[in-house]
Amino acid sequence: MSKIIELKDVVKSFGGTRAVDGLSLSLEEGGVLGFLGTNGAGKTTTIKMILGLLSPDEGTVSVLGGNPADPSVRAGLGYLPEAAYYYPLLDAPEVLAFYGRMSGMDESTIAERTEDLLEDVGLAHDAWNRPLKTYSKGMLQRVGIAQALVHNPKLLVLDEPFTGLDPLARRRFRQLIMRYRDAGGSVIFSSHDLSEAELICDSVAILRRGRIVFSGARNDLAGDASVNLERLFLSKLAESGDEEAKEALK
Amino acid sequence: MRLFLRQLGALVRLSFLDLYRRKDLVTVGALALALLVPLAALRPFGVAGADRYVGEVAMGLIWLFSLVIAIALGARQFPPEFESRTIYPLLARPVGRSTVLLGKYLGAFLAAVSATALFYVLFAVYRGSTGSGWFPSVLWQGFVLHVCALAVAVALSMTLSLAVTMSANLAFSAIAVFGMFIWGGRLPELAVNSPLPAKIALDVVYAIAPHFEFFDLRQRIVHSWDCVGVGVMLVVVAYAVLCSAALLSIAALLFRKRKV
Ligand SMILES: Nc1ncnc2c1ncn2[C@@H]1O[C@H](COP(=O)(O)OP(=O)(O)OP(=O)(O)O)[C@@H](O)[C@H]1O
Ligand SMILES: [Mg+2]
């Protein structure tokens, strides 16, 4: 199996703060990696480096065998941003068509995919031809998921995919990710929703203050039934010196 | 190459949707021009006088609205992308920043041209109906140079949008564009009659500011004068191309340096 994502000793600072501090991470082809961590731990910053939106100060980032700063490497990437803001005057099919064209898809494929995807993400039919400015938060998130998948990428990069979704939508989206994985895709997603993450990831990386405090396969955890993701999360944070996590474990 | 064209097409489309879905600018312009028709029908200054007068006002309004549209379109290509963070999913696509810049420029420019073309058609219909000929050559020439002015105006406000805030950009672009359009031709004359510091300032402005007055054929159109020579046309078009290219190179530099 080949590495889809490989980060080595990556450092990224903003002014005085080290948002990412010597982080190494890898994802095998076909894997689903849950990227967990407290607020401000550096998840979004890491994801932006994976997408080539930011370049690292130190270390190397390799995605799909290349440098994501190179546009052609990004052809295989699908990205769901942290906050779902898209063009407010367009409707959902127009948004998908726009992103599809940016990825070089032809019109007939776009039309087909649009129909399928909007069904898959469960966007209410009466909303299809309304401008996005009339959408609710969860509806926007659904459009976001659809645009990330529209060009059938090899790698999905999802920044907090479950925020704003109702339980049914979460379930639907979990199934969508599983189907995507079964069809050969790879996924990295950040999340604060540990129970959700537990259901879909096969490996996890826990981040605190820009450093990985734990990374391992999901199977290692399943061995010990008492170790669910939340316990693991708290104990790894506590081990790395987090007072609040220590408190919570008591 | 195919991907590049596809991406340009998508970005151009986005700008068009933005202009026509917002409706504000184009609708106001078209309505204002349409209101001139009853005025012309009343013919307050006798037949010939009314035609010329209404023609002059209409041409003035066309320039005003089209330049406002051009400045506004150029100015609002990038800031909303950064504010609403749509720039992230956009730049995560397999597209280079220079392609995004070029696509957005072409989109804003062509959208401004389309609105201006609409205004010229309204103008031609009015003039044609008063018997001055529907599409005389001088009107075509005027339109071509008008398009050149739009190209420079969009490039100016788009470049500034990557350097300063929206309101500073709108104020500065409006002053530069309308100031030069109205007074640009008179700057050398003003400079000669000014005391030394002001003279230097005026000379510098004349040397570096984009010369929007070069593109103004309103008088020829309104009075149905002769066409401009082909040589002059070519020089002015080349000037617009160079001016826009220079501004866009600065924009490309600013955009490449910009942390998203
Ligand atoms: N553009 C920026 N300028 C300055 N500081 C930044 C910038 N982007 C991120 N940071 C800082 O870097 C750190 C990591 O931020 P990041 O957004 O990566 O966290 P996160 O793990 O995604 O958090 P959350 O769970 O809240 O989304 C934070 O301290 C943040 O304030
Ligand atoms: Mg984040």
Side-chain angles (χ1 to χ4, degrees):
Chain A
M1 278 210 272
S2 60
K3 295 258 194 290
I4 290 286
I5 299 178
E6 189 147 41
L7 273 65
K8 277 201 190 118
D9 307 318
V10 170
V11 174
K12 182 76 197 178
S13 309
F14 297 104
T17 50
R18 283 200 155 207
V20 173
D21 190 7
L23 178 144
S24 297
L25 182 83
S26 68
L27 174 65
E28 304 275 313
E29 189 171 349
V32 178
L33 172 66
F35 199 38
L36 313 175
T38 49
N39 287 130
K43 300 181 295 295
T44 298
T45 306
T46 305
I47 282 174
K48 283 182 185 165
M49 288 191 280
I50 291 172
L51 296 161
L53 294 173
L54 289 175
S55 51
D57 298 337
E58 288 170 38
T60 55
V61 176
S62 155
V63 176
L64 300 167
N67 182 348
D70 172 1
S72 64
V73 170
R74 295 198 296 268
L77 288 178
Y79 168 49
L80 173 73
E82 182 172 29
Y85 292 118
Y86 304 96
Y87 301 102
L89 297 175
L90 306 190
D91 62 27
E94 284 168 343
V95 165
L96 296 196
F98 173 73
Y99 288 117
R101 290 181 195 122
M102 291 311 289
S103 285
M105 298 169 67
D106 61 55
E107 296 300 319
S108 57
T109 320
I110 289 175
E112 256 168 57
R113 289 284 292 163
T114 298
E115 188 103 343
D116 292 349
L117 277 169
L118 292 182
E119 288 296 346
D120 284 349
V121 299
L123 185 71
H125 272 267
D126 64 307
W128 284 27
N129 297 312
R130 274 200 270 131
L132 257 56
K133 64 181 178 194
T134 67
Y135 281 24
S136 72
K137 191 162 128 199
M139 289 160 88
L140 283 173
Q141 190 71 351
R142 291 172 199 239
V143 174
I145 294 158
Q147 68 77 29
L149 283 164
V150 68
H151 54 305
N152 211 353
K154 288 201 192 80
L155 168 66
L156 265 186
V157 181
L158 311 171
D159 201 349
E160 301 191 21
F162 301 109
T163 49
L165 294 180
D166 65 47
L168 282 174
R170 284 164 183 244
R171 183 168 161 274
R172 189 188 268 272
F173 187 32
R174 269 199 321 265
Q175 290 168 343
L176 206 59
I177 292 179
M178 292 295 125
R179 254 197 288 148
Y180 171 79
R181 198 259 331 258
D182 294 342
S186 314
V187 183
I188 176 169
F189 70 97
S190 79
S191 181
H192 292 295
D193 193 324
L194 299 179
S195 55
E196 207 65 57
E198 212 171 351
L199 291 170
I200 57 168
C201 64
D202 43 46
S203 61
V204 291
I206 299 177
L207 201 62
R208 176 170 179 266
R209 295 192 183 165
R211 293 167 193 252
I212 300 274
V213 295
F214 173 85
S215 81
R218 173 79 179 73
N219 293 345
D220 302 349
L221 315 178
D224 183 349
S226 68
V227 182
N228 64 22
L229 205 47
E230 184 168 349
R231 266 202 95 69
L232 178 82
F233 182 77
L234 288 174
S235 65
K236 291 299 168 189
L237 286 184
E239 275 170 33
S240 75
D242 193 305
E243 295 300 329
E244 207 176 332
K246 282 180 193 164
E247 191 65 32
L249 274 175
K250 278 183 196 155
Chain B
M1 191 63 195
R2 207 189 74 89
L3 175 63
F4 174 68
L5 292 177
R6 198 117 184 83
Q7 292 171 335
L8 283 189
L11 290 161
V12 166
R13 226 155 144 154
L14 191 67
S15 303
F16 266 81
L17 288 175
D18 187 61
L19 176 64
Y20 289 99
R21 293 256 163 100
R22 278 177 205 254
K23 298 184 194 94
D24 46 3
L25 290 169
V26 177
T27 318
V28 171
L31 274 179
L33 287 172
L35 284 177
L36 288 170
V37 173
L39 184 63
L42 292 176
R43 313 217 148 151
F45 310 108
V47 176
D51 287 352
R52 206 164 299 155
Y53 175 70
V54 174
E56 218 157 281
V57 175
M59 262 295 142
L61 285 177
I62 290 176
W63 271 93
L64 174 68
F65 283 118
S66 66
L67 286 177
V68 166
I69 288 174
I71 292 171
L73 275 171
R76 75 184 180 201
Q77 294 302 307
F78 281 104
E81 291 270 358
F82 290 116
E83 274 154 33
S84 62
R85 298 190 249 183
T86 44
I87 195 77
Y88 297 138
L90 177 56
L91 291 181
R93 296 278 155 186
V95 63
R97 290 195 185 192
S98 46
T99 309
V100 170
L101 181 80
L102 189 61
K104 285 193 164 287
Y105 172 73
L106 283 179
F109 166 63
L110 292 175
V113 169
S114 73
T116 306
L118 173 74
F119 298 157
Y120 268 75
V121 167
L122 288 177
F123 182 82
V125 167
Y126 157 68
R127 289 289 293 239
S129 69
T130 62
S132 319
W134 295 88
F135 289 100
S137 325
V138 71
L139 187 66
W140 284 106
Q141 276 198 331
F143 180 69
V144 169
L145 294 193
H146 199 142
V147 165
C148 289
L150 300 177
V152 180
V154 172
L156 177 68
S157 68
M158 179 175 277
T159 304
L160 283 173
S161 79
L162 290 164
V164 300
T165 62
M166 176 76 102
S167 42
N169 178 10
L170 291 179
F172 185 87
S173 297
I175 290 170
V177 172
F178 289 106
M180 287 305 284
F181 184 72
I182 298 168
W183 292 296
R186 275 181 247 155
L187 282 182
E189 180 188 320
L190 271 175
V192 170
N193 299 319
S194 299
L196 197 60
K199 180 182 175 340
I200 294 173
L202 288 173
D203 283 340
V204 169
V205 168
Y206 194 78
I208 60 169
H211 287 274
F212 286 94
E213 78 276 11
F214 289 178
F215 309 115
D216 182 9
L217 289 189
R218 284 179 302 163
Q219 293 302 317
R220 284 177 192 263
I221 292 172
V222 171
H223 299 287
S224 307
W225 291 342
D226 287 342
C227 287
V228 182
V230 177
V232 176
M233 283 291 285
L234 286 180
V235 170
V236 178
V237 171
Y239 172 76
V241 171
L242 284 178
C243 215
S244 311
L247 286 165
L248 287 181
S249 311
I250 299 173
L253 213 68
L254 291 170
F255 189 30
R256 198 160 344 123
K257 286 244 173 79
R258 176 141 187 166
K259 295 222 161 52
V260 293

